[in-house]
Amino acid sequence: MGHVPRGKVIDCRGCVVLPGFVDPHTHPVFGGWRHGEFEQRLGGRTYKEIAQAGGGILSSVRMTRAASEDELVGAGRARVLEMLSWGTTTVEAKSGYGLDTETELKMLRAIRRVGESVPVAVVPTFLGAHSIPKDTAKERYIDLLIEEMLPRVAEEKLARFCDVFCEDFIFNASDSRRILEAGKRYGLIPKVHADEIESSAGAELAAEVGAVSAAHLLKPSDRGLEVMAEAGTIAELLPGTCFFLREQPAPVAKMRERGVVMALATDFNPGSSTLLAQPLTVVFACVKYGMTVVEALRGVTVNAARSLALLGDIGTIEPGKRADILVTDLPDYRHIAYRVGHNPARVVICGGEVVSRDGIPVR
Ligand code: NIG
Ligand code: FE
């Protein structure tokens, strides 16, 4: 090797080198787990039935309200470090298990502290509109979101995005529009959980309000995909969730035909996806959703960066961007989809620093 003016030499001969993975949709901060519900779903109960009986998100809300901010930071930090060990260098993280002002703020402060304590970049999203708290009328809760929570979130600069779980049985498209438009007035960029459980005009809404992305999209309408393509709304696909909930895949062929840009995320959360590893998202994207390996690789890098409106900083290896680089042990890029459950991350570089080697964070 020739003269190296400064820095360290990392021998990457024979290995595929990629941009660090971006995971643009996760819920990594929460109290407790929901393995009992998982067992019920294996027995045939549906996600919606469990949610409507007061379980699901609301059971995580009870456990998250009971947890201290320090406990949430500890648990969230461990999960983000596990993501890093699989090659993720930027992760989005949502609130949404508080559903009251104090707990939503506690979650967002915990997310901020997780970001300060790990070498991974953590991008915060306010998801107060994740569900409706028990014994509260929906209209009253929406008023609370808009009049009390959003101003506090904005005042403390706790989030970059505002997200909504848009489903006819939770926040329908017109509720979601109200919330996202209010978020925009506080400078928060809209994101939407759209058309996951039922077709609910979530894709149309995402395009209409100028959301950066619409996530899930298991049941979007044809019109919804057309307007997303026109508006440049990114389809944030979550094939790990689809696998874990045993759902039918998102209509990737239709998205491709219409020119909808596709990003990929783990959607890590205690209910619908316990996946932390972006390499496994790639496997599910190819095998379950029928994406090509190149589409899936773009989904976890360049398009995931687009899905966070951060393409100027991350998502590709280019001069001027943050040096987030993943050195794998893969002899060919196709191995990323082909080697199920293999962790390809040998050296992970975040912001120009080596932060993880062979799956272990470097101190
Ligand atoms: O993205 N769909 C709504 N929110 C999460 C699930 C949250 C949960 O079940 O705790 C999701 O899948
Ligand atoms: Fe989600």
Side-chain angles (χ1 to χ4, degrees):
M1 238 166 265
H3 174 65
V4 179
R6 79 199 155 89
K8 282 189 211 117
V9 176
I10 298 171
D11 187 351
C12 307
R13 281 175 293 187
C15 300
V16 172
V17 176
L18 296 167
F21 296 132
V22 177
D23 192 344
H25 182 139
T26 87
H27 312 243
V29 165
F30 52 83
W33 289 96
R34 298 191 344 237
H35 40 268
E37 291 177 6
F38 171 67
E39 192 177 37
Q40 287 175 18
R41 281 194 286 101
L42 293 180
R45 240 179 140 203
T46 67
Y47 183 85
K48 186 177 165 187
E49 282 164 3
I50 293 171
Q52 288 186 323
I57 292 170
L58 293 183
S59 54
S60 289
V61 167
R62 288 187 286 277
M63 294 185 279
T64 304
R65 287 181 180 173
S68 70
E69 188 178 307
D70 285 351
E71 284 166 344
L72 294 179
V73 173
R77 180 171 190 275
R79 294 166 190 148
V80 170
L81 287 176
E82 195 172 329
M83 293 173 175
L84 165 64
S85 74
W86 289 88
T88 294
T89 50
T90 298
V91 59
E92 184 257 17
K94 301 178 196 291
S95 71
Y97 294 116
L99 311 187
D100 61 31
T101 306
E102 281 323 304
T103 317
E104 285 296 314
L105 292 174
K106 177 174 78 176
M107 286 190 74
L108 288 169
R109 291 183 192 123
I111 288 169
R112 173 143 80 193
R113 285 174 56 197
V114 169
E116 287 163 357
S117 74
V118 294
V120 178
V122 176
V123 184
T125 294
F126 173 57
L127 178 56
H130 199 191
S131 189
I132 299 156
K134 201 168 167 281
D135 301 328
T136 307
K138 182 173 77 177
E139 285 307 319
R140 242 194 89 215
Y141 185 60
I142 297 176
D143 290 344
L144 182 81
L145 277 167
I146 295 177
E147 286 159 23
E148 191 176 294
M149 295 191 200
L150 275 171
R152 300 274 307 269
V153 170
E155 188 184 292
E156 283 192 50
K157 295 191 174 35
L158 286 168
R160 173 170 163 88
F161 299 102
C162 180
D163 196 345
V164 178
F165 192 9
C166 179
E167 287 287 335
D168 282 336
F169 72 100
I170 309 177
F171 298 101
N172 63 29
S174 80
D175 302 328
S176 301
R177 179 183 300 109
R178 253 189 88 196
I179 297 161
L180 295 173
E181 289 293 348
K184 275 165 51 177
R185 291 196 290 276
Y186 287 100
L188 301 182
I189 304 169
K191 279 174 98 70
V192 188
H193 281 68
D195 302 318
E196 177 191 3
I197 319 276
E198 284 158 7
S199 191
S200 305
E204 288 88 329
L205 175 80
E208 179 201 316
V209 300
V212 68
S213 64
H216 289 284
L217 297 173
L218 297 184
K219 293 163 187 162
S221 70
D222 289 347
R223 167 103 192 113
L225 294 181
E226 273 152 31
V227 292
M228 277 182 63
E230 278 163 29
T233 317
I234 309 293
E236 200 173 72
L237 303 180
L238 313 171
T241 308
C242 180
F243 163 79
F244 200 68
L245 293 182
R246 302 194 290 177
E247 296 283 0
Q248 290 305 308
V252 161
K254 280 190 183 175
M255 294 178 189
R256 190 188 284 129
E257 254 166 49
R258 286 168 176 76
V260 176
V261 174
M262 297 179 280
L264 289 165
T266 60
D267 191 25
F268 172 79
N269 75 76
S272 64
S273 167
T274 52
L275 176 64
L276 290 159
Q278 278 290 57
L280 274 164
T281 306
V282 169
V283 172
F284 294 132
C286 294
V287 175
K288 192 163 166 70
Y289 275 19
M291 290 171 79
T292 66
V293 181
V294 170
E295 281 174 333
L297 273 176
R298 291 176 64 80
V300 290
T301 56
V302 54
N303 291 340
R306 287 196 168 99
S307 205
L308 292 179
L310 287 175
L311 186 61
D313 299 326
I314 56 171
T316 59
I317 304 176
E318 279 181 79
K321 288 199 180 183
R322 208 169 69 202
D324 290 355
I325 299 170
L326 170 62
V327 180
T328 73
D329 65 359
L330 305 177
D332 183 287
Y333 74 94
R334 288 165 291 195
H335 278 230
I336 184 87
Y338 165 66
R339 304 266 293 278
V340 182
H342 171 70
N343 184 347
R346 293 287 68 89
V347 180
V348 187
I349 300 168
C350 273
E353 301 282 331
V354 172
V355 295
S356 177
R357 271 186 197 277
D358 296 326
I360 299 171
V362 174
R363 287 259 81 216

